[in-house]
């Protein structure tokens, strides 16, 4: 059986580039003002273990941490979080990848524990990470920075991160940047002296820092700012970094600087709206149109912006906008990807909806099309849903389900995708129903499986079959063949009721529906056939059926499926009274799931269960 590929080569490359931007310390801003007083606070906070930089948007949290990290004398693991990191499997995979940059080899030893399938609890992988980081007591200190942690609202992520903080290895330091206090045990950490905090009052620019920032911004506009005006703006903005920068940008073309400074006051929201209006009005029509049209994007590249706007030359325009200081943040050193400052993006999107209410859907459609072509499934699905293209959104979910769920174990990502769909869409497409049934079956929520299968069969009866090209390829896909999947899952349910004849019948039914090259489904069908023979008590036939299945899965690199097949094989051998053969099978299982010098992956569990049962049967109770 050919080893399944997770994604097309071009798409994988694009995804790898974007992941690299999440793991890179942000590029310094052109108007950066060093703030040694805060750097000293951060240095002092390291001794406590956790540094929390917490303030509303626009206070310069990321800029401060990035400047500090660039000058650190120890390795820094940086992760810029986004909404997709609410999937704990993805969050920890990305966190481990970041730590691997600081300490190479970490990912190779810990990532396999994250699945697929994703563990039901992330306690074991986090414990393995803690042990891995603690295994080298003489290694350099290292800092893990989690930026934009406020975008994470997953209880599973919070609970597992809290485990890392409670049992933090001595050489690891952690810094969190967030708009609000994260739901972690901050009070306990604070009471134990394990938490240092930098808040909005600390982040406010002093008069001297504000003057330096305004001078730099004004100089880029070709303006010399009077000292009294700088002091007044610092006072009016209360040292708010975003307000200061917007004020500096707004000074261009102002004949009455004193009058301009006096014209705005009030809340940050009011100041932001007022100054953004001023900044946007100063741009030429080309730049204004570009800013509004590309505001629908969370990340920007020249090619993507060309596709969204329908015009060429976006790369040069992005570079021009960055040079102008218009809140465009580069995400890599080569200026391939950017993002707008979150506050500025909010203003642009509000303006787009106010001035061009019918354009957003078109722009999202263009973005979804480009992201689909480049294998960026998460972005494509988000944009298609934002455009109200529900059929397209559903098709994209179906296309990427196998790769994201079975090959990467990101169950929460699939749930997030499904929750974006109207309920009638999610329950009117057979493949989406089967995706939900498959997730219920693999997580042992068996009572939910049969109603979903019944609904899928009802819908399928009147369904005009649409061909599906799964992103992982047909060989590795389960979802591509709906009738076969229904039969496989019904056979799976029948095995739990010890109904050998039903298991065999559904295996034959699935085989009749099987298409050419559908190797993953074929393996599942053969597994059901072996289970039927086992339930009939025909142990030799069951063993003959399952041995080649385990070998094929192992050869294909399907570690978890091979492990569960070996578990079945060991039980069959044990039922035959061949305890030594069962022990050999269990040890072979552990060879691929718990190799020497590496943490055992979740699929090693069945191997240990078999060895424990065999030892108990032999009255070797300590071993058991």
């Amino acid at each position: 059986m050919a080893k399944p590929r997770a994604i097309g080569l071009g798409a994988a490359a694009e995804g790898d580039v974007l992941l690299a931007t999440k793991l890179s310390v942000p590029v310094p801003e052109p108007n950066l003002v060093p703030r040694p007083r805060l750097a000293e606070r951060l240095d002092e906070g390291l001794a406590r273990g956790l540094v929390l930089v917490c303030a509303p948007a626009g206070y310069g949290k990321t800029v401060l941490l990035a400047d500090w990290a660039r000058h650190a004398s120890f390795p820094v693991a940086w992760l810029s979080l986004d909404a997709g990191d609410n999937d704990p499997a993805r969050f920890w995979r990305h966190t481990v990848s970041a730590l691997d940059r600081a300490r190479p080899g970490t990912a190779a030893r810990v990532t396999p524990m994250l699945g697929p399938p994703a563990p039901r609890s992330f306690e074991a992988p986090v414990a393995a990470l803690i042990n891995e980081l603690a295994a080298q007591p003489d290694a350099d200190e290292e800092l893990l920075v989690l930026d934009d942690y406020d975008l994470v609202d997953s209880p599973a992520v919070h609970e597992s991160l809290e485990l890392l903080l409670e049992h933090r290895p001595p050489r690891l330091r952690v810094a969190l940047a967030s708009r609000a206090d994260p739901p972690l045990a901050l009070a306990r950490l604070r009471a134990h002296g394990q938490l240092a905090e930098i808040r909005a009052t600390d982040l406010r620019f002093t008069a001297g820092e504000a003057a330096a920032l305004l001078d730099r911004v004004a100089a880029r506009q070709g303006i010399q700012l009077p000292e009294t005006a700088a002091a007044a703006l610092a006072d009016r903005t209360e040292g708010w970094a975003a307000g200061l920068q917007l004020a500096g940008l707004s000074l261009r073309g102002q004949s009455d600087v004193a009058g301009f400074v006096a014209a705005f006051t009030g809340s940050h929201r009011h100041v932001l709206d007022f100054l953004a209006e001023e900044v946007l009005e100063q741009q030429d029509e080309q730049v204004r149109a570009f800013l509004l049209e590309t505001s629908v994007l969370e990340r920007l590249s020249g090619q993507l912006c060309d596709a969204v706007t329908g015009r060429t030359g976006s790369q040069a325009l992005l570079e021009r906008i960055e040079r102008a200081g218009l809140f465009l943040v580069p995400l890599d050193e080569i200026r391939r990807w950017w993002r707008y400052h979150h506050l500025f993006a909010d203003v642009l999107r509000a303006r787009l909806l106010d001035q061009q209410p019918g354009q957003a859907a078109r722009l999202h459609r263009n973005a979804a099309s480009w992201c689909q072509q480049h294998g960026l499934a998460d972005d494509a699905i988000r944009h298609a849903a934002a455009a109200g293209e529900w059929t397209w959104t559903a098709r994209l979910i179906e296309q990427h389900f196998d790769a994201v769920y079975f090959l990467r174990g990101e169950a929460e990502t699939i749930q997030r995708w499904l929750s974006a769909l109207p309920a009638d869409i999610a329950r009117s497409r057979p493949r989406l129903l089967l995706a939900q049934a498959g997730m219920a079956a693999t997580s042992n929520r068996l009572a939910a499986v049969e109603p979903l299968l019944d609904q899928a069969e009802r819908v399928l009866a009147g369904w005009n079959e649409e061909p599906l090209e799964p992103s992982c390829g047909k060989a590795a896909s389960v979802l591509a063949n709906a009738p076969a999947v229904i039969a496989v899952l019904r056979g799976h349910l029948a095995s739990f009721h010890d109904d050998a004849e039903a298991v065999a019948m559904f295996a034959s039914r699935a085989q009749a529906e099987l298409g050419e090259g559908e190797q993953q489904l074929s393996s599942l069908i053969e597994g059901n056939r072996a289970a039927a023979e086992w339930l009939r008590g025909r142990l030799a036939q069951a063993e003959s059926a399952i041995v080649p299945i385990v070998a094929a899965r192992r050869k294909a690199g399907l570690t978890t499926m091979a492990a569960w097949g070996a578990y079945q094989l060991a039980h069959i051998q044990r039922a035959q009274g061949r305890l030594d053969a069962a022990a050999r099978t269990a040890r072979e299982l552990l060879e691929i799931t718990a190799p020497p010098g590496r943490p055992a992956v979740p699929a090693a569990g069945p191997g240990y269960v078999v060895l424990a049962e065999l030892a108990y049967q032999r009255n070797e109770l300590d071993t058991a």
Side-chain angles (χ1 to χ4, degrees):
M1 180 161 49
K3 186 172 182 177
R5 55 188 178 84
I7 204 166
L9 289 177
E14 199 70 62
D16 290 344
V17 168
L18 279 178
L19 176 57
T21 66
K22 286 169 62 68
L23 304 181
S24 299
V25 178
V27 178
E29 292 191 355
N31 301 319
L32 178 67
V33 173
R35 308 180 76 186
R37 65 182 178 89
L38 293 178
E40 289 176 9
R41 289 277 303 277
L42 291 168
D43 288 338
E44 293 167 1
L46 279 181
R48 301 198 173 196
L50 173 62
V51 178
L52 174 63
V53 182
C54 185
Y59 271 89
K61 301 181 293 294
T62 300
V63 173
L64 172 66
L65 284 174
D67 186 49
W68 180 52
R70 280 191 296 273
H71 294 93
S73 58
F74 43 80
V76 175
W78 183 284
L79 176 58
S80 296
L81 297 164
D82 56 45
D85 293 303
N86 277 291
D87 189 310
R90 183 184 294 195
F91 173 88
W92 283 111
R93 191 173 288 115
H94 289 171
T95 299
V96 170
S97 295
L99 287 166
D100 188 71
R101 288 190 162 197
R103 188 186 293 188
T106 303
R109 287 183 281 271
V110 178
T111 299
M113 295 201 67
L114 298 172
R120 295 187 191 179
S121 165
F122 284 83
E123 182 176 341
V126 173
L129 175 60
I130 292 168
N131 292 337
E132 174 62 29
L133 295 175
Q136 302 177 34
D138 297 329
D140 290 337
E141 287 189 346
E142 56 195 310
L143 172 66
L144 170 63
V145 180
L146 299 175
D147 192 26
D148 288 328
Y149 192 77
D150 52 279
L151 296 176
V152 174
D153 55 21
S154 163
V157 171
H158 298 319
E159 290 167 11
S160 52
L161 178 62
E162 194 160 307
L163 179 66
L164 175 66
L165 295 175
E166 287 179 358
H167 302 279
R168 180 181 52 80
R171 312 296 290 180
L172 178 67
R173 304 291 185 263
V174 181
L176 298 182
S178 179
R179 293 187 184 184
D181 280 357
L184 303 171
L186 297 182
R188 183 167 71 245
L189 292 168
R190 192 180 291 122
H192 292 166
Q194 297 173 336
L195 173 65
E197 300 170 80
I198 293 181
R199 300 282 178 173
T201 52
D202 308 304
L203 289 166
R204 288 193 176 103
F205 274 61
T206 64
E209 291 169 342
L213 176 61
L214 286 167
D215 283 344
R216 294 188 183 199
V217 176
R220 292 170 68 87
Q221 311 296 314
I223 301 167
Q224 186 171 3
L225 187 64
E227 188 174 327
T228 54
L233 285 172
D235 181 62
R236 290 277 182 166
T237 59
E238 298 180 340
W240 182 41
L244 286 165
Q245 190 162 347
L246 276 165
L249 291 171
S250 302
L251 289 169
R252 174 182 287 177
Q254 298 291 342
S255 57
D256 181 6
V257 173
F260 167 78
V261 171
F264 69 92
T265 185
S267 69
H268 285 171
R269 184 78 256 175
H270 172 79
V271 172
L272 181 67
D273 289 343
F274 176 81
L275 295 178
E277 183 81 21
E278 292 286 333
V279 171
L280 288 174
E281 288 304 316
Q282 291 177 13
Q283 310 309 314
D284 60 42
E285 182 58 36
Q286 180 189 26
V287 171
R288 276 202 305 273
F290 181 87
L291 290 171
L292 293 179
E293 290 174 344
T294 57
S295 67
V296 300
L297 301 171
E298 290 187 355
R299 293 178 294 252
L300 307 94
S301 73
Q303 290 184 358
L304 174 55
C305 291
D306 282 348
V308 169
T309 64
R311 295 185 294 274
T312 58
S314 295
Q315 179 71 23
L317 204 50
L318 285 165
E319 293 173 4
R320 175 183 160 192
I321 290 169
E322 185 194 350
R323 287 194 300 271
L326 287 179
F327 290 88
L328 187 66
V329 181
L331 298 178
D332 55 24
E333 296 284 351
I334 61 175
R335 269 41 179 194
R336 181 176 174 185
W337 285 94
W338 288 266
R339 70 166 173 85
Y340 291 122
H341 188 286
H342 297 313
L343 279 174
F344 194 54
D346 288 344
V347 170
L348 293 175
R349 288 167 190 154
R351 288 284 296 271
L352 175 68
L353 291 175
D354 181 55
Q355 296 182 359
Q356 304 174 43
Q359 290 299 308
R362 175 184 67 84
L363 298 168
H364 280 296
R365 279 194 294 271
N366 291 346
S369 180
W370 189 90
C371 292
Q372 179 182 12
Q373 292 169 17
H374 290 78
L376 301 176
D378 213 26
D379 292 314
I381 289 167
R382 180 174 58 81
H383 285 296
E389 296 283 356
W390 302 121
T391 299
W392 187 8
T393 304
R395 291 278 292 160
L396 286 168
I397 296 171
E398 293 164 358
Q399 181 182 355
H400 292 280
F401 170 78
D402 292 293
V404 172
Y405 185 68
F406 289 117
L407 299 184
R408 297 213 299 269
E410 295 180 8
E412 293 298 323
T413 297
I414 299 295
Q415 293 289 8
R416 176 166 53 86
W417 289 352
L418 290 171
S419 67
L421 291 171
D424 59 328
I425 298 291
R427 296 192 61 83
S428 66
R429 297 181 64 86
R431 287 196 183 97
L432 289 185
L433 288 162
L434 291 176
Q436 296 170 72
M439 292 170 70
T442 54
S443 59
N444 282 333
R445 292 181 289 113
L446 300 181
V449 177
E450 192 162 11
L452 289 164
L453 294 179
D454 292 343
Q455 176 69 1
E457 281 191 325
R458 285 193 293 271
V459 174
L460 195 59
W463 187 256
N464 184 15
E465 179 67 18
E466 299 171 321
L468 180 69
E469 295 182 6
S471 63
C472 61
K474 186 166 67 171
S477 174
V478 171
L479 208 59
N481 187 331
V485 177
I486 291 173
V488 165
L489 289 175
R490 290 204 183 280
H492 179 71
L493 290 179
S495 70
F496 280 89
H497 295 98
D498 295 333
D499 190 341
E501 300 312 313
V503 175
M505 178 197 68
F506 284 121
S508 297
R509 185 178 297 178
Q511 185 68 43
E513 298 287 354
L514 193 66
E516 183 179 354
E518 294 176 346
Q519 296 171 356
Q520 181 82 302
L521 274 172
S522 177
S523 176
L524 294 173
I525 293 168
E526 291 305 315
N528 278 0
R529 287 190 192 281
E533 296 292 354
W534 184 7
L535 291 170
R536 285 167 170 160
R538 299 168 57 179
L539 301 180
Q541 292 88 337
E543 182 175 6
S544 297
I546 204 164
V547 165
I549 296 172
V550 174
R553 291 175 180 177
R554 186 170 179 177
K555 182 179 179 182
L558 301 174
T559 301
T560 298
M561 291 186 66
W564 281 107
Y567 177 70
Q568 286 181 303
L569 175 59
H571 273 288
I572 292 168
Q573 293 166 333
R574 182 184 170 205
Q576 292 172 306
R578 297 165 54 218
L579 303 190
D580 289 341
R584 282 195 300 274
T585 298
R587 292 191 186 98
E588 289 172 3
L589 186 162
L590 294 178
E591 285 178 9
I592 60 172
T593 57
R598 295 189 178 184
V601 302
Y608 290 117
V609 169
V610 170
L611 292 175
E613 290 174 339
L614 291 171
Y616 179 80
Q617 190 169 346
R618 287 167 165 159
N619 202 34
E620 298 168 356
L621 301 185
D622 289 341
T623 301

